[in-house]
Amino acid sequence: MSSMQIGTQMVKLRGGSKGLVRFFYLDEHKSCIRWRPSRKNEKAKISVDSVREVCEGKQSEIFQRYADGSFDPNCCFSLYYGEHMESLDLVSSTGEEARTWITGLKYLMAGISDEDSLAKRQRTRDQYPSVKIVLLHP
């Protein structure tokens, strides 16, 4: 989470034009993803609460418009947010950076906002391994 708050430069893809290099970061309250520069200024943000899904790779419609080989799939991910499931399609410099954002956003969506909560949840999961239930149909 801390590296998300420090921020990173990523390419923000749009419909028909080439991508825009922007600086993305998680705000101090861990409640919004913000980017700059933007003509929207303070409105250049997506609330973590509005994020419905985070997808790895080049799965979105926007990514499909770019030729194969344009981007390393390990560096690509999309956020689907809002009522109309808009997408924010991003390309990071490294696969590791993309994983940090994907994992961090998934934790935030699950209500885990810090490393302590994450560690606590991990310990609980280790203490109580999941039980597999198999339903048999006659």
Side-chain angles (χ1 to χ4, degrees), residues 4 38 47 54 77 81 103 108 122 137:
M4 291 170 67
S38 173
S47 158
V54 180
F77 64 102
Y81 64 97
T103 305
L108 289 168
Q122 183 68 42
H137 294 285

Side-chain angles (χ1 to χ4, degrees), residues 25 34-45:
Y25 61 100
R34 295 181 168 272
W35 61 91
R36 61 180 191 258
S38 173
R39 290 187 303 235
K40 295 178 183 175
N41 297 321
E42 285 303 305
K43 291 181 182 174
K45 64 182 178 182

Side-chain angles (χ1 to χ4, degrees), residues 54-56 99 101-112:
V54 180
C55 293
E56 300 177 49
R99 290 271 354 120
W101 278 87
I102 292 163
T103 305
L105 288 167
K106 287 183 177 182
Y107 285 141
L108 289 168
M109 290 167 64
I112 304 169

